[in-house]
């Protein structure tokens, strides 16, 4: 299991930093950057916009088990739960969870402990050559026949 966590301020700057740090961590693990960095961007932006309570940070957690990358964003606004909404066609925002839903294999949220909630998303990541966190150890240029 590989994991990464960071606590950030619930501001646009904190949301941007979440995306940048997640991108660098994915790169260090040898995992594909997309769609994970887009998912992190949306979930962190939601934490900064809808889950913001002044003086309380949000937590970004990434971890990989087998071929699954799990992204979790925990904020301290446990009384507001996420739900995708269809925005007006003219609206410039409001489609974040619809994008997350399109990118992921599974997503959801969990309550607590009070006053927290965690929004999570899981994506299957392909085994990368020589990447032990994904179970891959072989050379992509060598083929074995049985």
């Amino acid at each position: 299991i590989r994991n990464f966590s960071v606590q950030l301020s619930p501001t646009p700057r904190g949301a941007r930093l979440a995306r940048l740090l997640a991108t660098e961590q994915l790169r260090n693990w040898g995992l594909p950057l997309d769609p994970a960095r887009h998912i992190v961007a949306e979930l962190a932006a939601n934490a900064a916009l809808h889950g913001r309570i002044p003086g309380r940070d949000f937590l970004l957690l990434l971890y990989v088990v087998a071929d699954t990358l799990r992204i979790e964003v925990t904020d301290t606004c446990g009384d507001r739960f996420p739900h995708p909404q269809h925005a007006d066609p003219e609206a410039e925002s409001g489609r974040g969870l619809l994008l997350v839903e399109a990118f992921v294999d599974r997503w959801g949220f969990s309550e607590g402990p009070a006053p927290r909630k965690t929004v999570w998303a899981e994506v299957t990541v392909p085994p990368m050559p020589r990447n032990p966190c994904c179970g891959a150890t072989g050379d992509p240029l060598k083929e074995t026949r049985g």
Side-chain angles (χ1 to χ4, degrees):
I1 298 175
R2 300 263 176 126
N3 65 60
F4 168 81
S5 65
V6 63
Q7 201 166 339
L8 298 159
S9 64
T11 61
R13 184 177 183 170
R16 180 177 177 269
L17 188 54
R19 179 182 52 82
L20 293 172
L21 291 170
T23 298
E24 189 57 32
Q25 188 60 57
L26 294 166
R27 188 175 286 125
N28 286 340
W29 285 341
L31 295 176
L33 302 181
D34 294 323
R37 65 179 163 184
H38 299 296
I39 297 164
V40 168
E42 292 298 337
L43 296 183
N46 283 350
L49 181 63
H50 304 294
R52 180 176 193 206
I53 294 180
R56 296 185 183 171
D57 293 342
F58 73 91
L59 177 70
L60 169 66
L61 174 65
L62 307 175
Y63 60 93
V64 180
V65 178
D67 66 347
T68 301
L69 168 65
R70 184 169 171 116
I71 300 163
E72 295 183 0
V73 174
T74 301
D75 66 43
T76 56
C77 195
D79 61 338
R80 297 184 69 190
F81 303 115
H83 56 281
Q85 298 179 1
H86 293 281
D88 182 273
E90 301 300 317
E92 294 183 13
S93 63
R95 296 176 185 84
L97 285 177
L98 291 174
L99 291 172
V100 168
E101 207 168 56
F103 287 139
V104 302
D105 297 314
R106 291 167 299 283
W107 80 277
F109 66 91
S110 57
E111 299 178 55
R116 296 175 197 88
K117 76 168 172 302
T118 298
V119 182
W120 57 267
E122 294 180 344
V123 292
T124 302
V125 291
M128 300 296 287
R130 302 180 203 278
N131 189 345
C133 74
C134 296
T137 58
D139 186 334
L141 301 177
K142 292 183 181 176
E143 184 177 317
T144 58
R145 297 188 189 260

